[in-house]
Amino acid sequence: MSRFVDKISFFDRRASPMEDADGIPRSGLLVHHPRSPAASPPAPPRTQGISSSTLAQLFKRVSDTHSDSSSPPSSPSTSTFTLELATPMLQPFVGSANQIPFVLSFTDLTYKVKVKRPKKGSCLPSFKRNPTDGAITEFSSSKTLLDSISGEAREGEILAVLGASGSGKSTLIDALANRIVRERLHGSVTLNGEHLDSQILKVISAYVMQDDLLYPMLTVEETLMFSAEFRLPRTLSADKKKARVQALIDQLGLRSAANTIIGDEGHRGVSGGERRRVSIGTDIIHDPIILFLDEPTSGLDSTSAYMVVKVLQRIAHSGSIVIMSVHQPSYRILSLLDRLLFLSRGKTVFYGPPSSLPIFFTEFGSPMPDNENPTEFALDLIRELEDTPAGARELVEFNKSWQKRTITYKPTIAYGEKQPLSLKEAIAASISRGKLVSGATDVSTGSASSVQKFANPWWIEMGVLTKRSFTNTKRQPELFIIRLGAVLVTGFILATIFWRLDNSPKGVQERLGFFAIAMSTMFYTCADALPIFLQERYIFMRETAYNAYRRSSYVISNAIVGFPPLVFLSFAFALTTFFAVGLAGGVSGFMFFVAIVLASFWAGSGFVTFLSGVVTHVMLGYPVVVSTLAYFLLFSGFFITRDRIPKYWLWFHYLSLVKYPYEAVMQNEFSDPNKCFVRGVQMFDNTPLGALPEVLKLKVLKAIGSSIGVNLNADTCITTGTDFIQQQAVTDLTKWDCLWITIAWGFLFRILFYICLLLGSKNKRR
């Protein structure tokens, strides 16, 4: 957009022509059931008061209006829900005699990070010697990302943090949202004068990341409905949750896209602006008191960006504090903002309402042209100053003196001698007047103790997570088809290579090769589970950072969703190979073979799931998976038996995941003591005597028998299945022990995955 716009005064905040174009009315939230234009009352003029209605109260009116309507009912997917406001919502929030608005204040916020300084002209880090004890340490310096930032954000207003790239916008948002480790952040953040507890902040706030982290195969309505299931307590009926979602769809201007999938690179879905509004909707479904947004207009065209900020203005006017970072707002977006905070390399260069910008820069000595976009003028001037040797220091110092001389905010009413409510009392009052905060289970008590950490018990969360994953997965059948195809192709190749193995010594060795390849294949085919959590990692971190659900619920749901495909794959592989290879055991042997294959899939998927919680990128994960599984196969007992493994490597033999299913199928095959695998002269196979004629072999066999006092002939059984198991040193565990240990490995890895989520998903800067 050009820096010069039409000659319309910026500070005349009358309705613009875009209001008719974007379909979002300025005078209120949503629309009513269709009525004729003649029956519609004119929009009330802008005044200095505001209705204290919250989103919860407005949604309740939607539900009441819908239930009382005399018009025929329609399906939720096509109904248009409405909110009628007695007074307009586009004015600054004004406290009443019994209600004091929330004020989020931050004072002298300072955040530094350590930066290693390399030696000049070298790629190696430099070192320094401590003059007191002579110790040599790596030289490092600190970089200040935030330098004594102060300000406040009020209920009913939008505070926008502006600045060039690298100025500290996102860092400030993270600091206010408690996404920086407290030990590294200096200064104070208070709500109504009291320090914010991290747990309370998680309950009463929401954070919208810069990236749109959504499940691609869910529709807009499904995405918001699942968010409502997470965020809203189970005391709220399903019908009210649906009505709330429908009203939110209208509020966000997403009615036409309600049944469209989100989409990704391979699936066409909603537009970028619609996707951004869905991201916002998932975080405001529980009507938070404070809403943080990291560059919500980034990557959007001017119209989409304007509509997004218009939605944020409505959220603020419904009784919330909205704090967002924005790179370079357009002229129209600036008209929706209430307070601006300009940053330059972590320092404040301006703080105040947009109307103060011309006066500020005039007094600074750089008057603003009449038809100039104020923010673009300010950002250009700041950038010019940053390119000078002194940087923006002069503007920073001028802002400090200007702040001392200027009162940037005056309460519209005086509170007299009334004692302000404490933070807990204010939150309880907000809940009692209709603010449906997540976890508010008993608003009638008017106590802050009614606000719980999570909105629902773990089994409700697990059910919703499972349903969402199944819905997203079933719309991508190609993923399972590819996996099934890989298993069937592998099984077909193994079945045709090891077709109808006999009971000769060579058949025994071929069986061992089949078992080793088959069992290791089960683990290798589980590697496709690695990208699943890596793709969901940031969605998971966003949702759990503000207590949408428990990490344990996610782990259990992940196991439940992944188990049915494993059952199908196990039967597919067993049916392809068991009878074709000619394995022993009949029906019971087949069922055990299916069970051990399923247990192998279970343990392998658990191992890969655990690794996905450790590594951060799929390109790092695949080498780890492939190499580790190769080590497991090496120590499984196929290449070298247990009694031949050096003692210093024996521990790895017992850690090998392939060991237990490999020994289980061996015992399933060779456990019959009446089944013979080496008879008479077959004992000479794979030896130099094997090349002798059959007659000579029989003579040698009889000579051996006579020397040891045993009658040996061509039909004498030399080695049974149990003898072979003892030769392979597979005697310490039974096949059922191996089965249960393999299953236990799967559970253990999922417990480790849960621990990784607890330790590695704090979602805070250090």
Side-chain angles (χ1 to χ4, degrees):
M1 181 179 178
S2 174
R3 290 178 52 188
F4 297 95
V5 296
D6 296 337
K7 296 183 179 181
I8 302 176
S9 175
F10 164 72
F11 304 106
D12 181 12
R13 294 194 176 187
R14 293 173 295 178
S16 68
M18 277 304 301
E19 293 176 16
D20 296 329
D22 62 21
I24 303 180
R26 279 185 179 265
S27 57
L29 188 67
L30 310 183
V31 292
H32 199 282
H33 289 284
R35 294 185 301 180
S36 63
S40 301
R46 181 184 177 113
T47 63
Q48 295 302 317
I50 185 174
S51 169
S52 60
S53 299
T54 64
L55 284 178
Q57 293 170 326
L58 300 176
F59 286 133
K60 183 177 184 302
R61 296 183 190 178
V62 173
S63 179
D64 295 342
T65 303
H66 184 63
S67 61
D68 296 339
S69 176
S70 59
S71 59
S74 58
S75 63
S77 61
T78 58
S79 300
T80 301
F81 296 93
T82 306
L83 294 176
E84 285 188 322
L85 303 181
T87 56
M89 297 183 60
L90 297 181
Q91 294 78 26
F93 185 87
V94 178
S96 65
N98 297 319
Q99 175 185 316
I100 297 178
F102 287 102
V103 178
L104 180 71
S105 302
F106 47 97
T107 307
D108 295 330
L109 290 182
T110 302
Y111 175 51
K112 297 181 180 180
V113 294
K114 291 184 178 180
V115 179
K116 296 181 180 179
R117 182 181 298 175
K119 186 184 294 183
K120 188 175 182 180
S122 172
C123 61
L124 298 176
S126 58
F127 298 87
K128 63 179 180 179
R129 181 182 297 274
N130 193 318
T132 58
D133 57 6
I136 297 177
T137 58
E138 188 173 349
F139 186 89
S140 63
S141 61
S142 62
K143 180 180 180 181
T144 302
L145 301 183
L146 297 177
D147 190 357
S148 300
I149 307 297
S150 301
E152 69 177 22
R154 290 181 170 258
E155 182 177 340
E157 296 182 352
I158 299 178
L159 170 64
V161 183
L162 297 92
S165 299
S167 61
K169 303 187 300 297
S170 297
T171 305
L172 178 59
I173 298 296
D174 287 345
L176 298 177
N178 192 32
R179 292 165 63 89
I180 296 179
V181 177
R182 285 297 184 188
E183 291 75 15
R184 304 295 301 275
L185 181 66
H186 303 283
S188 64
V189 180
T190 62
L191 184 63
N192 284 17
E194 297 186 28
H195 288 281
L196 272 173
D197 179 79
S198 60
Q199 294 300 326
I200 294 180
L201 181 61
K202 284 185 178 182
V203 173
I204 68 173
S205 66
Y207 186 99
V208 180
M209 297 182 179
Q210 183 174 350
D211 298 324
D212 300 320
L213 306 174
L214 304 167
Y215 283 89
M217 301 310 295
L218 299 181
T219 66
V220 170
E221 184 175 350
E222 289 172 340
T223 301
L224 295 177
M225 193 65 214
F226 282 124
S227 180
E229 294 289 347
F230 289 132
R231 298 281 189 166
L232 304 183
R234 58 174 178 166
T235 54
L236 200 66
S237 66
D239 291 338
K240 290 184 178 180
K241 289 180 181 179
K242 291 179 181 179
R244 187 178 183 86
V245 169
Q246 295 300 323
L248 185 59
I249 288 174
D250 286 331
Q251 178 199 5
L252 297 172
L254 296 170
R255 174 56 58 193
S256 60
N259 296 317
T260 305
I261 64 170
I262 301 299
D264 56 11
E265 295 82 1
H267 304 85
R268 185 175 179 83
V270 297
S271 65
E274 291 169 336
R275 186 193 303 265
R276 187 63 47 85
R277 280 176 275 161
V278 174
S279 296
I280 296 173
T282 58
D283 286 304
I284 67 169
I285 191 70
H286 64 299
D287 198 4
I289 294 175
I290 307 173
L291 179 60
F292 302 101
L293 304 101
D294 186 11
E295 298 199 16
T297 61
S298 178
L300 302 181
D301 59 79
S302 60
T303 301
S304 298
Y306 173 79
M307 295 175 68
V308 167
V309 179
K310 185 68 178 176
V311 168
L312 297 179
Q313 185 190 53
R314 293 175 175 175
I315 296 170
H317 290 161
S318 70
S320 297
I321 299 173
V322 177
I323 304 175
M324 71 174 187
S325 60
V326 58
H327 183 67
Q328 192 166 339
S330 65
Y331 203 91
R332 291 179 299 147
I333 290 178
L334 185 60
S335 67
L336 305 177
L337 307 179
D338 299 285
R339 290 170 182 256
L340 306 178
L341 177 61
F342 282 85
L343 296 179
S344 173
R345 296 176 181 174
K347 297 182 179 181
T348 304
V349 293
F350 173 80
Y351 170 69
S355 58
S356 300
L357 278 172
I359 303 174
F360 176 83
F361 285 104
T362 299
E363 294 185 8
F364 178 68
S366 299
M368 185 182 302
D370 292 338
N371 297 323
E372 184 89 13
N373 184 329
T375 57
E376 293 185 5
F377 173 84
L379 292 172
D380 289 345
L381 178 60
I382 293 170
R383 178 56 62 88
E384 292 175 3
L385 294 174
E386 289 177 346
D387 293 336
T388 62
R393 186 183 310 165
E394 182 181 357
L395 188 58
V396 172
E397 296 301 325
F398 175 77
N399 175 67
K400 292 180 181 178
S401 62
W402 191 78
Q403 292 291 338
K404 294 178 181 179
R405 295 184 288 104
T406 307
I407 301 176
T408 59
Y409 185 87
K410 296 181 180 180
T412 54
I413 64 172
Y415 296 112
E417 300 297 326
K418 284 186 176 292
Q419 187 71 21
L421 296 175
S422 68
L423 177 58
K424 291 184 178 180
E425 292 172 338
I427 295 175
S430 178
I431 296 174
S432 64
R433 73 175 189 262
K435 202 79 171 170
L436 192 55
V437 180
S438 176
T441 58
D442 187 7
V443 298
S444 63
T445 61
S447 172
S449 61
S450 63
V451 180
Q452 299 179 353
K453 187 175 181 180
F454 297 98
N456 295 287
W458 66 270
W459 63 86
I460 299 293
E461 298 170 350
M462 184 188 66
V464 177
L465 284 167
T466 302
K467 181 180 179 181
R468 182 175 69 174
S469 295
F470 270 127
T471 304
N472 188 67
T473 303
K474 73 180 182 181
R475 292 175 182 169
Q476 296 175 293
E478 62 274 9
L479 300 180
F480 176 74
I481 292 175
I482 292 174
R483 190 176 183 184
L484 176 62
V487 170
L488 290 177
V489 169
T490 303
F492 174 78
I493 293 174
L494 292 177
T496 52
I497 292 177
F498 299 98
W499 179 263
R500 296 295 180 181
L501 298 179
D502 56 23
N503 294 332
S504 66
K506 289 185 178 180
V508 171
Q509 295 299 323
E510 290 167 352
R511 278 177 171 83
L512 296 184
F514 168 76
F515 291 147
I517 297 299
M519 294 302 103
S520 60
T521 299
M522 300 304 99
F523 292 94
Y524 279 110
T525 54
C526 291
D528 67 337
L530 182 65
I532 294 178
F533 177 70
L534 293 178
Q535 293 173 352
E536 298 178 0
R537 174 189 293 272
Y538 295 105
I539 299 178
F540 167 83
M541 294 175 65
R542 173 179 64 83
E543 293 176 336
T544 56
Y546 287 85
N547 297 341
Y549 49 81
R550 297 166 180 82
R551 292 168 177 83
S552 58
S553 302
Y554 179 85
V555 174
I556 298 174
S557 171
N558 179 271
I560 293 175
V561 173
F563 188 75
L566 300 183
V567 176
F568 194 88
L569 294 175
S570 300
F571 274 97
F573 183 81
L575 289 171
T576 306
T577 59
F578 185 86
F579 299 104
V581 175
L583 300 182
V587 176
S588 61
F590 172 76
M591 295 308 298
F592 183 84
F593 186 77
V594 171
I596 195 63
V597 170
L598 177 59
S600 301
F601 274 128
W602 168 256
S605 62
F607 172 69
V608 175
T609 300
F610 161 64
L611 284 183
S612 70
V614 177
V615 300
T616 57
H617 196 276
V618 66
M619 298 305 294
L620 299 175
Y622 276 123
V624 175
V625 171
V626 173
S627 59
T628 305
L629 292 179
Y631 300 148
F632 286 160
L633 179 60
L634 176 63
F635 287 93
S636 64
F638 170 70
F639 296 102
I640 180 172
T641 59
R642 175 174 55 86
D643 55 348
R644 300 284 296 172
I645 297 176
K647 292 183 178 180
Y648 49 83
W649 278 117
L650 199 58
W651 61 272
F652 205 103
H653 170 71
Y654 287 100
L655 289 179
S656 172
L657 296 182
V658 183
K659 161 188 165 62
Y660 302 100
Y662 173 68
E663 292 186 358
V665 291
M666 282 184 60
Q667 295 191 51
N668 189 52
E669 181 69 16
F670 300 113
S671 60
D672 187 358
N674 298 320
K675 191 172 184 179
C676 187
F677 290 92
V678 179
R679 291 183 181 274
V681 295
Q682 288 181 338
M683 65 181 294
F684 300 126
D685 293 352
N686 300 323
T687 69
L689 296 178
L692 294 175
E694 193 73 17
V695 176
L696 291 179
K697 289 181 183 179
L698 288 174
K699 290 181 179 181
V700 173
L701 181 64
K702 290 180 179 180
I704 294 174
S706 62
S707 64
I708 62 176
V710 178
N711 183 23
L712 297 179
N713 54 48
D715 296 326
T716 302
C717 183
I718 306 299
T719 304
T720 63
T722 54
D723 296 331
F724 185 76
I725 289 177
Q726 291 178 354
Q727 292 176 10
Q728 296 295 315
V730 184
T731 56
D732 54 341
L733 297 170
T734 67
K735 69 176 185 179
W736 293 105
D737 292 335
C738 293
L739 175 64
W740 296 122
I741 291 174
T742 306
I743 295 173
W745 273 118
F747 282 103
L748 176 61
F749 282 124
R750 284 167 174 84
I751 293 173
L752 294 176
F753 177 56
Y754 170 69
I755 295 174
C756 289
L757 298 185
L758 285 179
L759 300 179
S761 60
K762 298 298 183 182
N763 209 19
K764 287 190 177 183
R765 298 194 190 188
R766 296 184 180 274

